[in-house]
Amino acid sequence: MNRQQLLALLPILFSSATVVWVMTAIAIKRHHWWNATFSVIGLNLALIGCVVAYFVSPQIVTPLLIVDSYSCLYMAMVLATGLATATLSHAYMEGYDGNKEEVYLLLNLSVLGGLVLVCARHFASFFIGLELLSVPLYGLIGYLVKERRSLEASMKYLVLSAAASAFILFGMALIYSQTGALAFSDIGARVAAISGSGYTVMVVGGAMILVGIGFKLSLAPFHLWTPDVYEGAPAPVAAYLATASKVAVFAVLLRFFIEAKAYNYELLLDVLTALAIVSIVLGNLLALLQDNIKRLLAYSSIAHFGYLLVAFIAAGQFATEAVGVYLLTYVVTTLAAFGVVTLMSSPYKNHDADTLWDYRGLFWRRPYLSTILTIALLSLAGIPMTAGFIGKFYAITAGVEKRQWLLLGAVVFGSAVGLYYYLRAMVQLYLRAPWVRRYSAPLAWAQGTGGAMVVALAVLMLVLGIYPQPFIAAIQAAGLH
Amino acid sequence: MILVWLLAIPFIGGFLCWQGERFGRGFPRWVGLITMSTVLAISLYLWVTGDYSQTLLNTSNPHWVEEFRADWIPRLGISFHLALDGLSLVLIVLTGLIGVIAIACSWNEVQRNVGFFHLNLLWNLAGVIGVFLAMDLFLFFFFWEMMLVPMYFLIALWGHNAPGGKGRVFAATKFFIFTQASGLLMLLAILALVFAHYAATDVLTFGYPELLTWTRSGAMSAQLEWWLMLGFFVAFAVKMPVVPLHSWLPDAHSQAPTAGSVDLAGILLKTAAYGILRFGVPFFPNASHQIAPFAMWLGVAGVIYGAVLSLSQHDVKRFVAYTSVSHMGFVLIGIYSGTEQSLQGVVIQMLAHGISAGALFILCGEVYERLHTRDLREMGGLWSRLPFLPPIAMFFSAAALGLPGLGNFIGEFLILVGSFPVNPVVTIVSASGLILAAVYSLMMMQRAFFGPPKSEEKLRDLNAREMTTMLSLMALILFMGLYPQPILDVTKATMAGVQAVYATGLPVSATAMIGVQP
């Protein structure tokens, strides 16, 4: 391994070192603030590492990993999400009376998994990354061990996630049986020669991987775990689950599809089209019934990945760019929404402020925090001036360019339905509450790091919505070629 | 640069109102009033100083009176392009005027969260101004959707829960979903147009002039033109509103606060007519010809349906809302008649209806402030209890029924004259709307103001603020009715341009346009 490759690997190296460092720090002395700060420093170093890696990219590091501008972009996205989660966790865990520090250890491990996944160009690293991303999540979701919902969510996620991983492994094995290759590009090179029964096995293998991925991305009909897990998980963990873990999986999915030339399989695309439509329709319709904001965000994320698939399937000149822009806007928005939920919940031990009633009339008590949640909900609904509009605009643009009218019809339908529940949640913030309120954010919410993070996300949402050009240029530069 | 200020002033003013509430409730009101007066003054200044004899649609000398263009998202060929011609100008003047009036009429009505209220009102007005100025389709759509959010808040937070209705949040949500969902169809059409242009010329742009040049060169297939026109038409038809897509309007009006209703009837509905005149017809003249008979009959349906339903309303705001449906039906007929008279009539009708409906909504609000009911069955005999309000209401009812000498008459008359050579049957049937208008206006007057009074107690009459707004609106309606020429002069070039484009359009044969998607 030469120096260039080592430099390219910096984010992963820093991230690994952080895991060890945080673990040692916890072993020496439990101190919430210090341990949180250590992991934040580590994540920031890894972010700087991304910049360094960008300048030496593209580098193929061992047959397993590739660090190109595309992976740098998504590594940065995963790391930034990890940072946001760490700061939010700090605000959230402050009131928790058990051991707080391991959250950061598990979080860093999971981020490391995300980094590996984003750089994967080989089935082995794909699987290692995926597991490293998911396994710490079992611990994180069930972190509030005294809370029944949290434990239940953890068990549910564990069982289903393991099943999904098994599907993915089997799919990989089937594809390997026909191509004799594990690297994406080798598969792509050999795929053309396969025909007859081999073709069927390839499609079955691809479909099994899709099932597993569909689970990780919570696409309908593999979405059943999502609302329960989001509801049970501590709010910052739910934020991480909804963003970083999905971004990393989506990034590797796109790379796999392009490098392994999976776009040539019409059948797979048809399956994806069906998944997209079902996700959009089901996610939006079921969200209508929710009175719990975390469940609502869960269903909304199902629908959003449906929209994202529209851009993915369209796969034209705009596909990687559209996916990148959409993921960026989605991540910023979702983090902001969950961030507000976290700040609202942080003073209350072991229970989150998650029903819509808890937010009733919040605007008249915490106007700025409510404004942030309003912007986030409008952004999720895709209203102009917010990031979500740019994302949706890109998805629709990609769809129009490839004339996917059926998918576009689903997007229009889903957006119209979506408005109803986003508005319903939003207007709660402004209605006067005639009864005693149980939950409110601490008055000084904006002075902590978590509050600053949420404010920054709100600003970012507006900037992305009003002047997206610099972000678009950056994402365009990080395309897959 | 002056156009940017026209847009920026309400945004900044709204922000100041929100933050200025800490200095007392009066502060946001004055800031709002000053802001909108400034907008009105700037637009009047532009009216006086500009030369509106040319427009982009005149191929001989294509130019804008004022223009501002800057790169926004060059990656997608999107620019921040504002421009002004006669049509935009008169509608911006109307926006400034209605803005001032809306702030004045909610001076006492809104007592809760005054700052936030004015933030929403001013941002909504800013969005409307943006719609009238945007010459980039992305920018247009941006403002088109953006102006809905403040309107949603105005209805949902400061609205009334009218008895029998489903509540203000329901009404606001319905309004939002109707307009937003139809807007998404327009977005699809915009994108399809842009990509058709891209495929043909290899230039990715959302610019209105570029796309207009391309569509006018006749490069679009009939089938594509038809589908794109429909996408635009549906969005505008919902907003206008065209029967049968109107059902959000009575709900929204009956629950909205006075300022919201004034804003909605006065200018929001006009954005739809503006959209058809600016984009719908010039982009797709052939398909517009194709849909014209259908659209005109929809307009007739609106005229009759709105008038008939208004007869049976008890809530006086629902009554005015249905008369709006009726009046906007004339606008639709006028646009798709496509003659110069009818298009000029459309402009006058939009302005006159904006003012007269706005005034009627303000009167409704004033009656409500005094009686605490908007139910016509509980009014009656108000003439003897109030000295000035009833005659003023009589004046605006007369305007709404199209009394000669008042603005609405000029508009309706020009529309009917203009549409007669095109489709006499439509003209004759829709003219019956004028009779129905007389019936419903007089019936409303009779039920509210005449008859035996419910109580002998005198009511507080209009104060100086209310009187000033009413008198100025009356003067304007009278002016428009007696001497509409200045308005006609300003918009003449634009309307002549629209008419010229429309005249080049040919109805496409049915077989050419029916087909699966482009």
Side-chain angles (χ1 to χ4, degrees):
Chain A
M1 195 180 284
N2 60 26
R3 208 171 114 252
Q4 298 268 310
Q5 287 172 325
L6 265 179
L7 282 178
L9 218 50
L10 267 185
I12 293 178
L13 294 178
F14 274 134
S15 195
S16 314
T18 311
V19 173
V20 179
W21 184 16
V22 171
M23 189 166 65
T24 320
I26 295 173
I28 293 169
K29 182 169 169 40
R30 283 190 177 279
H31 187 288
H32 187 208
W33 191 84
W34 273 111
N35 287 313
T37 308
F38 282 149
S39 51
V40 166
I41 291 173
L43 288 167
N44 274 313
L45 282 176
L47 259 179
I48 295 170
C50 276
V51 179
V52 177
Y54 176 75
F55 285 110
V56 298
S57 67
Q59 294 286 335
I60 293 180
V61 190
T62 73
L64 296 184
L65 299 174
I66 177 166
V67 180
D68 51 10
S69 50
Y70 175 82
S71 32
C72 285
L73 171 74
Y74 286 97
M75 280 199 287
M77 232 190 263
V78 169
L79 284 167
T81 314
L83 260 177
T85 313
T87 49
L88 288 174
S89 301
H90 182 260
Y92 183 85
M93 298 305 287
E94 208 45 40
Y96 181 62
D97 43 12
N99 286 331
K100 305 165 186 148
E101 290 75 12
E102 278 81 0
V103 165
Y104 307 103
L105 182 59
L106 292 170
L107 181 68
N108 272 303
L109 267 173
S110 181
V111 167
L112 179 59
L115 299 185
V116 172
L117 195 54
V118 165
C119 297
R121 60 181 292 274
H122 191 280
F123 273 154
S125 47
F126 181 1
F127 194 72
I128 292 171
L130 196 62
E131 288 303 286
L132 195 50
L133 178 74
S134 310
V135 173
L137 279 172
Y138 309 152
L140 281 173
I141 293 168
Y143 202 80
L144 308 175
V145 279
K146 291 170 198 157
E147 175 79 357
R148 196 183 56 82
R149 285 195 299 176
S150 182
L151 271 183
E152 185 192 317
S154 177
M155 289 310 291
K156 198 170 257 181
Y157 189 72
L158 187 148
V159 172
L160 288 174
S161 179
S165 297
F167 266 98
I168 292 178
L169 265 187
F170 201 175
M172 288 174 176
L174 287 179
I175 291 179
Y176 180 68
S177 74
Q178 294 307 311
T179 58
L182 285 172
F184 297 167
S185 46
D186 295 348
I187 296 171
R190 298 180 196 178
V191 105
I194 294 164
S195 59
S197 64
Y199 181 84
T200 320
V201 174
M202 285 294 283
V203 169
V204 171
M208 292 191 91
I209 292 183
L210 267 191
V211 169
I213 296 275
F215 168 84
K216 301 281 180 191
L217 295 177
S218 63
L219 294 168
F222 313 111
H223 66 283
L224 293 169
W225 60 279
T226 317
D228 292 341
V229 171
Y230 280 28
E231 188 189 356
V237 176
Y240 182 80
L241 198 57
T243 51
S245 74
K246 292 188 176 179
V247 167
V249 173
F250 210 93
V252 77
L253 181 68
L254 186 58
R255 190 194 289 279
F256 175 69
F257 257 66
I258 288 176
E259 291 208 353
K261 302 201 168 56
Y263 275 117
N264 297 338
Y265 286 85
E266 286 290 331
L267 196 60
L268 280 186
L269 289 184
D270 289 346
V271 171
L272 277 176
T273 307
L275 288 183
I277 292 175
V278 175
S279 298
I280 292 171
V281 172
L282 220 56
N284 279 313
L285 287 181
L286 290 176
L288 291 176
L289 309 172
Q290 306 308 319
D291 283 323
N292 181 307
I293 193 160
K294 282 159 86 183
R295 291 185 79 89
L296 190 145
L297 288 171
Y299 281 111
S300 127
S301 87
I302 294 170
H304 274 280
F305 274 83
Y307 302 145
L308 190 54
L309 275 186
V310 175
F312 182 84
I313 294 163
Q317 178 200 359
F318 281 112
T320 38
E321 191 183 333
V323 167
V325 171
Y326 200 100
L327 278 175
L328 178 64
T329 59
Y330 168 82
V331 162
V332 171
T333 307
T334 309
L335 278 178
F338 274 111
V340 175
V341 175
T342 307
L343 293 178
M344 282 288 287
S345 311
S346 51
Y348 305 96
K349 292 173 186 171
N350 301 347
H351 195 276
D352 286 0
D354 55 5
T355 69
L356 287 182
W357 302 120
D358 295 334
Y359 291 82
R360 199 171 168 111
L362 184 70
F363 182 76
W364 314 114
R365 290 176 271 136
R366 304 281 181 277
Y368 297 101
L369 193 62
S370 308
T371 307
I372 293 168
L373 186 56
T374 305
I375 298 173
L377 287 169
L378 289 175
S379 179
L380 283 172
I383 306 295
M385 276 182 91
T386 60
F389 173 66
I390 301 297
K392 190 170 280 181
F393 180 77
Y394 254 99
I396 295 179
T397 305
V400 170
E401 204 213 359
K402 287 290 160 183
R403 308 191 167 182
Q404 301 278 353
W405 302 113
L406 182 66
L407 283 169
L408 290 172
V411 172
V412 171
F413 170 80
S415 303
V417 174
L419 282 175
Y420 179 78
Y421 60 83
Y422 292 126
L423 290 179
R424 181 163 155 262
M426 189 180 82
V427 84
Q428 291 291 340
L429 297 169
Y430 297 88
L431 296 177
R432 299 244 163 217
W435 49 78
V436 185
R437 47 188 180 267
R438 286 188 300 150
Y439 291 98
S440 219
L443 259 180
W445 63 269
Q447 274 138 40
T449 43
M453 176 64 76
V454 174
V455 172
L457 286 170
V459 172
L460 195 56
M461 266 191 286
L462 291 176
V463 171
L464 267 169
I466 294 169
Y467 191 62
Q469 178 62 27
F471 300 93
I472 292 174
I475 288 168
Q476 207 186 346
L480 269 185
H481 306 291
Chain B
M1 219 29 217
I2 199 164
L3 298 182
V4 180
W5 282 112
L6 212 48
L7 200 55
I9 287 171
F11 274 116
I12 298 167
F15 191 75
L16 286 180
C17 287
W18 184 37
Q19 289 302 320
E21 198 182 352
R22 60 195 72 189
F23 304 123
R25 283 181 185 173
F27 185 81
R29 295 190 180 121
W30 282 108
V31 171
L33 196 64
I34 291 167
T35 306
M36 285 325 289
S37 308
T38 315
V39 170
L40 183 60
I42 293 176
S43 55
L44 288 173
Y45 166 79
L46 286 171
W47 188 327
V48 175
T49 56
D51 166 25
Y52 294 91
S53 61
Q54 294 298 327
T55 171
L56 188 76
L57 292 167
N58 286 2
T59 38
S60 57
N61 181 13
H63 82 300
W64 301 103
V65 180
E66 280 283 335
E67 193 172 11
F68 177 84
R69 188 163 199 166
D71 270 351
W72 185 16
I73 312 177
R75 166 77 185 95
L76 297 172
I78 295 167
S79 57
F80 189 83
H81 185 191
L82 305 174
L84 187 79
D85 67 357
L87 179 65
S88 310
L89 177 79
V90 291
L91 288 168
I92 288 170
V93 171
L94 180 72
T95 309
L97 177 74
I98 295 284
V100 172
I101 299 292
I103 288 164
C105 77
S106 45
W107 206 270
N108 285 339
E109 185 194 351
V110 173
Q111 294 294 345
R112 282 191 292 131
N113 318 115
V114 186
F116 194 51
F117 174 85
H118 284 86
L119 171 83
N120 283 308
L121 189 58
L122 291 181
W123 281 30
N124 174 264
L125 294 166
V128 174
I129 292 175
V131 164
F132 291 143
L133 287 178
M135 289 304 152
D136 181 282
L137 286 174
F138 182 89
L139 189 63
F140 172 76
F141 182 78
F142 187 88
F143 286 124
W144 177 264
E145 301 277 89
M146 197 216 83
M147 68 186 177
L148 303 177
V149 181
M151 195 67 214
Y152 171 85
F153 278 124
L154 285 183
I155 299 173
L157 302 184
W158 289 273
H160 308 278
N161 279 320
K166 286 190 181 136
R168 52 183 202 248
V169 174
F170 172 84
T173 309
K174 188 172 176 183
F175 158 76
F176 201 87
I177 291 177
F178 262 74
T179 42
Q180 189 86 19
S182 61
L184 278 174
L185 290 180
M186 178 164 75
L187 179 62
L188 289 186
I190 289 175
L191 284 169
L193 176 66
V194 166
F195 277 97
H197 176 255
Y198 179 59
T201 63
D202 227 26
V203 178
L204 187 60
T205 178
F206 282 74
Y208 174 67
E210 291 86 347
L211 292 172
L212 191 65
T213 317
W214 182 68
T215 54
R216 294 206 61 191
S217 70
M220 212 177 352
S221 76
Q223 202 185 330
L224 180 65
E225 183 178 343
W226 170 254
W227 283 103
L228 295 187
M229 190 277 298
L230 268 190
F232 278 84
F233 183 77
V234 168
F236 296 139
V238 167
K239 193 64 149 285
M240 192 174 238
V242 171
V243 175
L245 301 170
H246 67 285
S247 78
W248 59 272
L249 184 80
D251 283 339
H253 268 311
S254 63
Q255 321 284 343
T258 305
S261 288
V262 171
D263 189 3
L264 199 56
I267 44 181
L268 238 61
L269 305 188
K270 275 64 188 175
T271 58
Y274 171 83
I276 299 182
L277 289 171
R278 175 75 68 206
F279 302 105
V281 170
F283 274 153
F284 317 112
N286 304 317
S288 295
H289 259 290
Q290 193 67 39
I291 205 177
F294 180 65
M296 285 166 84
W297 280 110
L298 279 180
V300 174
V303 168
I304 309 276
Y305 178 86
V308 170
L309 277 214
S310 66
L311 286 171
S312 58
Q313 300 305 317
H314 294 306
D315 183 337
V316 66
K317 282 184 87 176
R318 281 187 93 85
F319 165 83
V320 184
Y322 277 109
T323 66
S324 289
V325 174
S326 181
H327 286 129
M328 293 310 281
F330 279 110
V331 170
L332 193 64
I333 295 173
I335 291 173
Y336 281 97
S337 300
T339 59
E340 208 168 335
Q341 287 99 327
S342 72
L343 288 170
Q344 291 279 34
V346 164
V347 174
I348 302 285
Q349 174 79 353
M350 286 200 283
L351 299 179
H353 173 256
I355 292 173
S356 68
L360 284 172
F361 277 120
I362 293 172
L363 289 167
C364 294
E366 286 165 356
V367 168
Y368 182 79
E369 273 179 36
R370 289 164 177 78
L371 285 180
H372 304 289
T373 179
R374 296 199 316 252
D375 195 325
L376 280 169
R377 287 166 296 189
E378 292 173 27
M379 294 182 186
L382 291 182
W383 198 282
S384 58
R385 295 169 69 189
L386 284 162
F388 290 115
L389 195 150
I392 294 173
M394 180 70 124
F395 178 88
F396 285 110
S397 295
L401 68 81
L403 194 75
L406 302 177
N408 304 50
F409 170 74
I410 306 287
E412 278 162 21
F413 180 76
L414 282 175
I415 289 171
L416 292 177
V417 167
S419 64
F420 190 78
V422 179
N423 196 336
V425 188
V426 163
T427 310
I428 291 164
V429 179
S430 61
S432 71
L434 290 177
I435 301 165
L436 284 169
V439 175
Y440 64 65
S441 296
L442 294 178
M443 216 160 100
M444 191 274 285
M445 284 306 293
Q446 162 69 27
R447 290 169 74 188
F449 296 107
F450 298 103
K454 289 275 187 289
S455 134
E456 288 306 317
E457 184 198 350
K458 290 279 179 226
L459 294 167
R460 184 175 56 79
D461 204 54
L462 302 180
N463 61 24
R465 168 182 58 84
E466 292 166 331
M467 210 63 184
T468 320
T469 49
M470 281 301 142
L471 286 177
S472 47
L473 291 181
M474 286 162 79
L476 277 172
I477 285 274
L478 207 55
F479 175 74
M480 261 196 269
L482 297 176
Y483 188 56
Q485 200 54 42
I487 300 169
L488 296 177
D489 286 343
V490 168
T491 57
K492 186 174 190 324
T494 312
M495 286 306 158
V498 173
Q499 192 266 333
V501 175
Y502 193 51
T504 61
L506 293 167
V508 200
S509 73
T511 45
M513 77 191 196
I514 295 170
V516 276
Q517 285 104 330

